[in-house]
PDB file of all heavy atoms in Angstrom:
ATOM      1  N   MET A  27      -0.815   5.257 -16.671  1.00 85.00           N
ATOM      2  CA  MET A  27      -0.039   4.546 -17.708  1.00 85.00           C
ATOM      3  C   MET A  27      -0.891   4.353 -18.954  1.00 85.00           C
ATOM      4  O   MET A  27      -2.063   3.992 -18.849  1.00 85.00           O
ATOM      5  CB  MET A  27       0.354   3.183 -17.150  1.00 85.00           C
ATOM      6  CG  MET A  27       1.402   2.489 -17.962  1.00 85.00           C
ATOM      7  SD  MET A  27       1.719   0.860 -17.223  1.00 85.00           S
ATOM      8  CE  MET A  27       1.614  -0.165 -18.654  1.00 85.00           C
ATOM      9  N   ASN A  28      -0.311   4.620 -20.112  1.00 92.00           N
ATOM     10  CA  ASN A  28      -1.037   4.479 -21.368  1.00 92.00           C
ATOM     11  C   ASN A  28      -0.769   3.115 -21.976  1.00 92.00           C
ATOM     12  O   ASN A  28       0.385   2.721 -22.123  1.00 92.00           O
ATOM     13  CB  ASN A  28      -0.523   5.548 -22.344  1.00 92.00           C
ATOM     14  CG  ASN A  28      -1.629   6.468 -22.785  1.00 92.00           C
ATOM     15  OD1 ASN A  28      -2.807   6.201 -22.557  1.00 92.00           O
ATOM     16  ND2 ASN A  28      -1.252   7.551 -23.431  1.00 92.00           N
ATOM     17  N   GLY A  29      -1.806   2.377 -22.331  1.00 97.00           N
ATOM     18  CA  GLY A  29      -1.607   1.089 -22.986  1.00 97.00           C
ATOM     19  C   GLY A  29      -2.507   0.991 -24.200  1.00 97.00           C
ATOM     20  O   GLY A  29      -3.505   1.713 -24.301  1.00 97.00           O
ATOM     21  N   LEU A  30      -2.149   0.100 -25.118  1.00 98.00           N
ATOM     22  CA  LEU A  30      -2.991  -0.099 -26.302  1.00 98.00           C
ATOM     23  C   LEU A  30      -3.924  -1.279 -26.030  1.00 98.00           C
ATOM     24  O   LEU A  30      -3.473  -2.391 -25.742  1.00 98.00           O
ATOM     25  CB  LEU A  30      -2.121  -0.365 -27.530  1.00 98.00           C
ATOM     26  CG  LEU A  30      -2.887  -0.697 -28.823  1.00 98.00           C
ATOM     27  CD1 LEU A  30      -3.839   0.426 -29.223  1.00 98.00           C
ATOM     28  CD2 LEU A  30      -1.901  -0.960 -29.979  1.00 98.00           C
ATOM     29  N   GLY A  31      -5.208  -1.011 -26.112  1.00 98.00           N
ATOM     30  CA  GLY A  31      -6.214  -2.066 -25.941  1.00 98.00           C
ATOM     31  C   GLY A  31      -6.835  -2.394 -27.279  1.00 98.00           C
ATOM     32  O   GLY A  31      -7.186  -1.485 -28.050  1.00 98.00           O
ATOM     33  N   ILE A  32      -6.953  -3.683 -27.559  1.00 98.00           N
ATOM     34  CA  ILE A  32      -7.527  -4.127 -28.837  1.00 98.00           C
ATOM     35  C   ILE A  32      -8.689  -5.061 -28.514  1.00 98.00           C
ATOM     36  O   ILE A  32      -8.556  -5.943 -27.656  1.00 98.00           O
ATOM     37  CB  ILE A  32      -6.486  -4.917 -29.666  1.00 98.00           C
ATOM     38  CG1 ILE A  32      -5.218  -4.086 -29.918  1.00 98.00           C
ATOM     39  CG2 ILE A  32      -7.102  -5.456 -30.952  1.00 98.00           C
ATOM     40  CD1 ILE A  32      -5.200  -3.271 -31.165  1.00 98.00           C
ATOM     41  N   ALA A  42      -7.686   1.304 -29.267  1.00 98.00           N
ATOM     42  CA  ALA A  42      -7.448   2.693 -28.851  1.00 98.00           C
ATOM     43  C   ALA A  42      -6.402   2.674 -27.746  1.00 98.00           C
ATOM     44  O   ALA A  42      -6.175   1.642 -27.102  1.00 98.00           O
ATOM     45  CB  ALA A  42      -8.729   3.335 -28.323  1.00 98.00           C
ATOM     46  N   LEU A  43      -5.797   3.828 -27.521  1.00 98.00           N
ATOM     47  CA  LEU A  43      -4.907   3.976 -26.370  1.00 98.00           C
ATOM     48  C   LEU A  43      -5.784   4.262 -25.146  1.00 98.00           C
ATOM     49  O   LEU A  43      -6.790   4.969 -25.246  1.00 98.00           O
ATOM     50  CB  LEU A  43      -3.926   5.126 -26.594  1.00 98.00           C
ATOM     51  CG  LEU A  43      -2.931   4.916 -27.737  1.00 98.00           C
ATOM     52  CD1 LEU A  43      -2.077   6.175 -27.942  1.00 98.00           C
ATOM     53  CD2 LEU A  43      -2.039   3.705 -27.492  1.00 98.00           C
ATOM     54  N   VAL A  44      -5.384   3.670 -24.033  1.00 98.00           N
ATOM     55  CA  VAL A  44      -6.212   3.749 -22.825  1.00 98.00           C
ATOM     56  C   VAL A  44      -5.329   4.154 -21.640  1.00 98.00           C
ATOM     57  O   VAL A  44      -4.223   3.630 -21.480  1.00 98.00           O
ATOM     58  CB  VAL A  44      -6.806   2.343 -22.515  1.00 98.00           C
ATOM     59  CG1 VAL A  44      -7.616   2.365 -21.227  1.00 98.00           C
ATOM     60  CG2 VAL A  44      -7.655   1.832 -23.679  1.00 98.00           C
ATOM     61  N   VAL A  73      -4.592  -5.894 -36.453  1.00 98.00           N
ATOM     62  CA  VAL A  73      -3.991  -5.488 -35.167  1.00 98.00           C
ATOM     63  C   VAL A  73      -2.689  -4.719 -35.452  1.00 98.00           C
ATOM     64  O   VAL A  73      -2.414  -3.684 -34.840  1.00 98.00           O
ATOM     65  CB  VAL A  73      -3.750  -6.714 -34.258  1.00 98.00           C
ATOM     66  CG1 VAL A  73      -2.989  -6.321 -32.998  1.00 98.00           C
ATOM     67  CG2 VAL A  73      -5.077  -7.376 -33.885  1.00 98.00           C
ATOM     68  N   ALA A  74      -1.917  -5.205 -36.419  1.00 98.00           N
ATOM     69  CA  ALA A  74      -0.646  -4.532 -36.764  1.00 98.00           C
ATOM     70  C   ALA A  74      -0.909  -3.118 -37.285  1.00 98.00           C
ATOM     71  O   ALA A  74      -0.186  -2.174 -36.940  1.00 98.00           O
ATOM     72  CB  ALA A  74       0.111  -5.353 -37.803  1.00 98.00           C
ATOM     73  N   LYS A  75      -1.961  -2.955 -38.078  1.00 98.00           N
ATOM     74  CA  LYS A  75      -2.302  -1.632 -38.620  1.00 98.00           C
ATOM     75  C   LYS A  75      -2.630  -0.657 -37.490  1.00 98.00           C
ATOM     76  O   LYS A  75      -2.207   0.502 -37.509  1.00 98.00           O
ATOM     77  CB  LYS A  75      -3.545  -1.755 -39.520  1.00 98.00           C
ATOM     78  CG  LYS A  75      -3.215  -1.704 -40.986  1.00 98.00           C
ATOM     79  CD  LYS A  75      -4.477  -1.484 -41.794  1.00 98.00           C
ATOM     80  CE  LYS A  75      -4.190  -1.950 -43.213  1.00 98.00           C
ATOM     81  NZ  LYS A  75      -5.378  -2.222 -43.975  1.00 98.00           N
ATOM     82  N   ILE A  76      -3.380  -1.150 -36.508  1.00 98.00           N
ATOM     83  CA  ILE A  76      -3.780  -0.265 -35.396  1.00 98.00           C
ATOM     84  C   ILE A  76      -2.545   0.116 -34.565  1.00 98.00           C
ATOM     85  O   ILE A  76      -2.340   1.289 -34.245  1.00 98.00           O
ATOM     86  CB  ILE A  76      -4.877  -0.933 -34.532  1.00 98.00           C
ATOM     87  CG1 ILE A  76      -6.154  -1.099 -35.359  1.00 98.00           C
ATOM     88  CG2 ILE A  76      -5.152  -0.114 -33.274  1.00 98.00           C
ATOM     89  CD1 ILE A  76      -7.282  -1.874 -34.685  1.00 98.00           C
ATOM     90  N   ALA A  77      -1.686  -0.883 -34.274  1.00 98.00           N
ATOM     91  CA  ALA A  77      -0.471  -0.580 -33.482  1.00 98.00           C
ATOM     92  C   ALA A  77       0.412   0.415 -34.243  1.00 98.00           C
ATOM     93  O   ALA A  77       0.977   1.345 -33.650  1.00 98.00           O
ATOM     94  CB  ALA A  77       0.277  -1.872 -33.175  1.00 98.00           C
ATOM     95  N   ALA A  78       0.514   0.244 -35.566  1.00 98.00           N
ATOM     96  CA  ALA A  78       1.371   1.128 -36.380  1.00 98.00           C
ATOM     97  C   ALA A  78       0.798   2.541 -36.400  1.00 98.00           C
ATOM     98  O   ALA A  78       1.532   3.529 -36.317  1.00 98.00           O
ATOM     99  CB  ALA A  78       1.496   0.573 -37.796  1.00 98.00           C
ATOM    100  N   LYS A  79      -0.501   2.626 -36.495  1.00 98.00           N
ATOM    101  CA  LYS A  79      -1.169   3.934 -36.554  1.00 98.00           C
ATOM    102  C   LYS A  79      -0.810   4.773 -35.311  1.00 98.00           C
ATOM    103  O   LYS A  79      -0.636   5.981 -35.382  1.00 98.00           O
ATOM    104  CB  LYS A  79      -2.682   3.685 -36.645  1.00 98.00           C
ATOM    105  CG  LYS A  79      -3.549   4.819 -36.316  1.00 98.00           C
ATOM    106  CD  LYS A  79      -3.865   5.669 -37.534  1.00 98.00           C
ATOM    107  CE  LYS A  79      -4.772   6.810 -37.131  1.00 98.00           C
ATOM    108  NZ  LYS A  79      -4.775   7.989 -37.782  1.00 98.00           N
ATOM    109  N   PHE A  80      -0.667   4.089 -34.152  1.00 98.00           N
ATOM    110  CA  PHE A  80      -0.325   4.818 -32.920  1.00 98.00           C
ATOM    111  C   PHE A  80       1.188   4.789 -32.656  1.00 98.00           C
ATOM    112  O   PHE A  80       1.623   5.258 -31.605  1.00 98.00           O
ATOM    113  CB  PHE A  80      -1.060   4.207 -31.722  1.00 98.00           C
ATOM    114  CG  PHE A  80      -2.559   4.381 -31.781  1.00 98.00           C
ATOM    115  CD1 PHE A  80      -3.408   3.283 -31.826  1.00 98.00           C
ATOM    116  CD2 PHE A  80      -3.120   5.653 -31.798  1.00 98.00           C
ATOM    117  CE1 PHE A  80      -4.789   3.444 -31.878  1.00 98.00           C
ATOM    118  CE2 PHE A  80      -4.502   5.826 -31.854  1.00 98.00           C
ATOM    119  CZ  PHE A  80      -5.335   4.722 -31.891  1.00 98.00           C
ATOM    120  N   ALA A  81       1.965   4.211 -33.575  1.00 98.00           N
ATOM    121  CA  ALA A  81       3.416   4.033 -33.391  1.00 98.00           C
ATOM    122  C   ALA A  81       3.669   3.462 -31.997  1.00 98.00           C
ATOM    123  O   ALA A  81       4.541   3.924 -31.249  1.00 98.00           O
ATOM    124  CB  ALA A  81       4.141   5.364 -33.598  1.00 98.00           C
ATOM    125  N   TYR A  82       2.873   2.442 -31.639  1.00 97.00           N
ATOM    126  CA  TYR A  82       2.874   1.909 -30.280  1.00 97.00           C
ATOM    127  C   TYR A  82       4.015   0.922 -30.063  1.00 97.00           C
ATOM    128  O   TYR A  82       4.303   0.101 -30.919  1.00 97.00           O
ATOM    129  CB  TYR A  82       1.520   1.230 -30.000  1.00 97.00           C
ATOM    130  CG  TYR A  82       1.366   0.794 -28.576  1.00 97.00           C
ATOM    131  CD1 TYR A  82       1.122   1.720 -27.571  1.00 97.00           C
ATOM    132  CD2 TYR A  82       1.489  -0.548 -28.227  1.00 97.00           C
ATOM    133  CE1 TYR A  82       0.984   1.319 -26.244  1.00 97.00           C
ATOM    134  CE2 TYR A  82       1.351  -0.953 -26.906  1.00 97.00           C
ATOM    135  CZ  TYR A  82       1.105  -0.012 -25.923  1.00 97.00           C
ATOM    136  OH  TYR A  82       0.973  -0.409 -24.618  1.00 97.00           O
ATOM    137  N   ARG A  83       4.620   0.983 -28.878  1.00 95.00           N
ATOM    138  CA  ARG A  83       5.790   0.145 -28.609  1.00 95.00           C
ATOM    139  C   ARG A  83       5.703  -0.680 -27.314  1.00 95.00           C
ATOM    140  O   ARG A  83       6.618  -1.402 -26.973  1.00 95.00           O
ATOM    141  CB  ARG A  83       7.050   1.038 -28.507  1.00 95.00           C
ATOM    142  CG  ARG A  83       7.585   1.493 -29.834  1.00 95.00           C
ATOM    143  CD  ARG A  83       8.595   0.477 -30.396  1.00 95.00           C
ATOM    144  NE  ARG A  83       8.661   0.495 -31.830  1.00 95.00           N
ATOM    145  CZ  ARG A  83       7.947  -0.298 -32.634  1.00 95.00           C
ATOM    146  NH1 ARG A  83       7.114  -1.174 -32.163  1.00 95.00           N
ATOM    147  NH2 ARG A  83       8.072  -0.234 -33.947  1.00 95.00           N
ATOM    148  N   GLY A  84       4.633  -0.535 -26.560  1.00 95.00           N
ATOM    149  CA  GLY A  84       4.565  -1.232 -25.255  1.00 95.00           C
ATOM    150  C   GLY A  84       3.882  -2.590 -25.353  1.00 95.00           C
ATOM    151  O   GLY A  84       3.817  -3.194 -26.421  1.00 95.00           O
ATOM    152  N   VAL A  85       3.369  -3.043 -24.215  1.00 96.00           N
ATOM    153  CA  VAL A  85       2.624  -4.306 -24.181  1.00 96.00           C
ATOM    154  C   VAL A  85       1.204  -4.042 -24.691  1.00 96.00           C
ATOM    155  O   VAL A  85       0.548  -3.104 -24.242  1.00 96.00           O
ATOM    156  CB  VAL A  85       2.527  -4.884 -22.749  1.00 96.00           C
ATOM    157  CG1 VAL A  85       1.840  -6.243 -22.756  1.00 96.00           C
ATOM    158  CG2 VAL A  85       3.898  -4.987 -22.110  1.00 96.00           C
ATOM    159  N   ILE A  86       0.761  -4.865 -25.636  1.00 98.00           N
ATOM    160  CA  ILE A  86      -0.601  -4.720 -26.174  1.00 98.00           C
ATOM    161  C   ILE A  86      -1.517  -5.685 -25.419  1.00 98.00           C
ATOM    162  O   ILE A  86      -1.145  -6.839 -25.169  1.00 98.00           O
ATOM    163  CB  ILE A  86      -0.626  -5.064 -27.685  1.00 98.00           C
ATOM    164  CG1 ILE A  86       0.244  -4.079 -28.467  1.00 98.00           C
ATOM    165  CG2 ILE A  86      -2.059  -5.077 -28.218  1.00 98.00           C
ATOM    166  CD1 ILE A  86       0.387  -4.412 -29.951  1.00 98.00           C
ATOM    167  N   GLY A  87      -2.703  -5.221 -25.083  1.00 98.00           N
ATOM    168  CA  GLY A  87      -3.716  -6.116 -24.512  1.00 98.00           C
ATOM    169  C   GLY A  87      -4.748  -6.403 -25.584  1.00 98.00           C
ATOM    170  O   GLY A  87      -5.260  -5.467 -26.210  1.00 98.00           O
ATOM    171  N   LEU A 118       0.175 -12.360 -32.792  1.00 98.00           N
ATOM    172  CA  LEU A 118       0.083 -10.899 -32.754  1.00 98.00           C
ATOM    173  C   LEU A 118       1.425 -10.261 -32.384  1.00 98.00           C
ATOM    174  O   LEU A 118       1.738  -9.156 -32.810  1.00 98.00           O
ATOM    175  CB  LEU A 118      -1.019 -10.463 -31.776  1.00 98.00           C
ATOM    176  CG  LEU A 118      -2.423 -10.997 -32.116  1.00 98.00           C
ATOM    177  CD1 LEU A 118      -3.452 -10.503 -31.107  1.00 98.00           C
ATOM    178  CD2 LEU A 118      -2.853 -10.587 -33.523  1.00 98.00           C
ATOM    179  N   ARG A 119       2.236 -10.990 -31.624  1.00 98.00           N
ATOM    180  CA  ARG A 119       3.579 -10.478 -31.300  1.00 98.00           C
ATOM    181  C   ARG A 119       4.395 -10.399 -32.589  1.00 98.00           C
ATOM    182  O   ARG A 119       5.085  -9.415 -32.856  1.00 98.00           O
ATOM    183  CB  ARG A 119       4.256 -11.398 -30.278  1.00 98.00           C
ATOM    184  CG  ARG A 119       5.619 -10.905 -29.825  1.00 98.00           C
ATOM    185  CD  ARG A 119       6.088 -11.618 -28.560  1.00 98.00           C
ATOM    186  NE  ARG A 119       5.994 -13.083 -28.685  1.00 98.00           N
ATOM    187  CZ  ARG A 119       6.884 -13.847 -29.276  1.00 98.00           C
ATOM    188  NH1 ARG A 119       7.968 -13.325 -29.795  1.00 98.00           N
ATOM    189  NH2 ARG A 119       6.711 -15.153 -29.343  1.00 98.00           N
ATOM    190  N   GLU A 120       4.251 -11.427 -33.411  1.00 98.00           N
ATOM    191  CA  GLU A 120       5.002 -11.422 -34.680  1.00 98.00           C
ATOM    192  C   GLU A 120       4.517 -10.319 -35.615  1.00 98.00           C
ATOM    193  O   GLU A 120       5.308  -9.697 -36.304  1.00 98.00           O
ATOM    194  CB  GLU A 120       4.869 -12.786 -35.355  1.00 98.00           C
ATOM    195  CG  GLU A 120       5.817 -13.786 -34.707  1.00 98.00           C
ATOM    196  CD  GLU A 120       5.696 -15.193 -35.278  1.00 98.00           C
ATOM    197  OE1 GLU A 120       4.888 -15.418 -36.198  1.00 98.00           O
ATOM    198  OE2 GLU A 120       6.418 -16.058 -34.763  1.00 98.00           O
ATOM    199  N   SER A 121       3.210 -10.061 -35.632  1.00 98.00           N
ATOM    200  CA  SER A 121       2.712  -9.063 -36.588  1.00 98.00           C
ATOM    201  C   SER A 121       2.931  -7.638 -36.104  1.00 98.00           C
ATOM    202  O   SER A 121       2.959  -6.712 -36.908  1.00 98.00           O
ATOM    203  CB  SER A 121       1.244  -9.308 -36.925  1.00 98.00           C
ATOM    204  OG  SER A 121       0.418  -8.874 -35.887  1.00 98.00           O
ATOM    205  N   THR A 122       3.094  -7.439 -34.793  1.00 98.00           N
ATOM    206  CA  THR A 122       3.230  -6.062 -34.282  1.00 98.00           C
ATOM    207  C   THR A 122       4.631  -5.751 -33.744  1.00 98.00           C
ATOM    208  O   THR A 122       4.947  -4.592 -33.498  1.00 98.00           O
ATOM    209  CB  THR A 122       2.256  -5.815 -33.103  1.00 98.00           C
ATOM    210  OG1 THR A 122       2.576  -6.751 -32.055  1.00 98.00           O
ATOM    211  CG2 THR A 122       0.815  -5.991 -33.511  1.00 98.00           C
ATOM    212  N   ALA A 123       5.430  -6.805 -33.507  1.00 97.00           N
ATOM    213  CA  ALA A 123       6.739  -6.667 -32.852  1.00 97.00           C
ATOM    214  C   ALA A 123       6.607  -6.084 -31.440  1.00 97.00           C
ATOM    215  O   ALA A 123       7.521  -5.434 -30.925  1.00 97.00           O
ATOM    216  CB  ALA A 123       7.694  -5.823 -33.707  1.00 97.00           C
ATOM    217  N   CYS A 124       5.455  -6.289 -30.824  1.00 97.00           N
ATOM    218  CA  CYS A 124       5.236  -5.874 -29.426  1.00 97.00           C
ATOM    219  C   CYS A 124       4.823  -7.095 -28.624  1.00 97.00           C
ATOM    220  O   CYS A 124       4.167  -7.995 -29.158  1.00 97.00           O
ATOM    221  CB  CYS A 124       4.076  -4.873 -29.323  1.00 97.00           C
ATOM    222  SG  CYS A 124       4.385  -3.282 -30.070  1.00 97.00           S
ATOM    223  N   PRO A 125       5.126  -7.132 -27.313  1.00 96.00           N
ATOM    224  CA  PRO A 125       4.572  -8.205 -26.489  1.00 96.00           C
ATOM    225  C   PRO A 125       3.048  -8.061 -26.415  1.00 96.00           C
ATOM    226  O   PRO A 125       2.543  -6.931 -26.375  1.00 96.00           O
ATOM    227  CB  PRO A 125       5.190  -7.975 -25.102  1.00 96.00           C
ATOM    228  CG  PRO A 125       6.021  -6.749 -25.196  1.00 96.00           C
ATOM    229  CD  PRO A 125       5.954  -6.182 -26.578  1.00 96.00           C
ATOM    230  N   VAL A 126       2.348  -9.178 -26.417  1.00 97.00           N
ATOM    231  CA  VAL A 126       0.871  -9.118 -26.427  1.00 97.00           C
ATOM    232  C   VAL A 126       0.309 -10.042 -25.345  1.00 97.00           C
ATOM    233  O   VAL A 126       0.709 -11.198 -25.238  1.00 97.00           O
ATOM    234  CB  VAL A 126       0.303  -9.551 -27.802  1.00 97.00           C
ATOM    235  CG1 VAL A 126      -1.214  -9.388 -27.827  1.00 97.00           C
ATOM    236  CG2 VAL A 126       0.933  -8.750 -28.945  1.00 97.00           C
ATOM    237  N   ALA A 127      -0.601  -9.521 -24.553  1.00 98.00           N
ATOM    238  CA  ALA A 127      -1.312 -10.343 -23.559  1.00 98.00           C
ATOM    239  C   ALA A 127      -2.728 -10.545 -24.091  1.00 98.00           C
ATOM    240  O   ALA A 127      -3.419  -9.567 -24.397  1.00 98.00           O
ATOM    241  CB  ALA A 127      -1.345  -9.621 -22.214  1.00 98.00           C
ATOM    242  N   ALA A 267      -3.426  -6.204 -19.857  1.00 97.00           N
ATOM    243  CA  ALA A 267      -2.009  -6.209 -20.253  1.00 97.00           C
ATOM    244  C   ALA A 267      -1.158  -5.505 -19.203  1.00 97.00           C
ATOM    245  O   ALA A 267      -0.052  -5.951 -18.886  1.00 97.00           O
ATOM    246  CB  ALA A 267      -1.849  -5.537 -21.613  1.00 97.00           C
ATOM    247  N   ASN A 271       1.658  -8.789 -16.373  1.00 60.00           N
ATOM    248  CA  ASN A 271       3.042  -9.053 -15.973  1.00 60.00           C
ATOM    249  C   ASN A 271       3.149  -9.365 -14.489  1.00 60.00           C
ATOM    250  O   ASN A 271       4.006 -10.110 -14.066  1.00 60.00           O
ATOM    251  CB  ASN A 271       3.928  -7.830 -16.254  1.00 60.00           C
ATOM    252  CG  ASN A 271       4.093  -7.634 -17.735  1.00 60.00           C
ATOM    253  OD1 ASN A 271       3.896  -8.580 -18.498  1.00 60.00           O
ATOM    254  ND2 ASN A 271       4.419  -6.420 -18.149  1.00 60.00           N
TER     255      ASN A 271
END
Side-chain angles (χ1 to χ4, degrees):
M27 193 182 131
N28 240 348
L30 176 59
I32 303 269
L43 295 175
V44 177
V73 174
K75 256 194 201 161
I76 294 174
K79 162 90 179 151
F80 294 119
Y82 187 75
R83 283 271 153 267
V85 184
I86 297 175
L118 301 181
R119 183 165 51 82
E120 281 177 1
S121 77
T122 60
C124 292
V126 184
N271 291 339

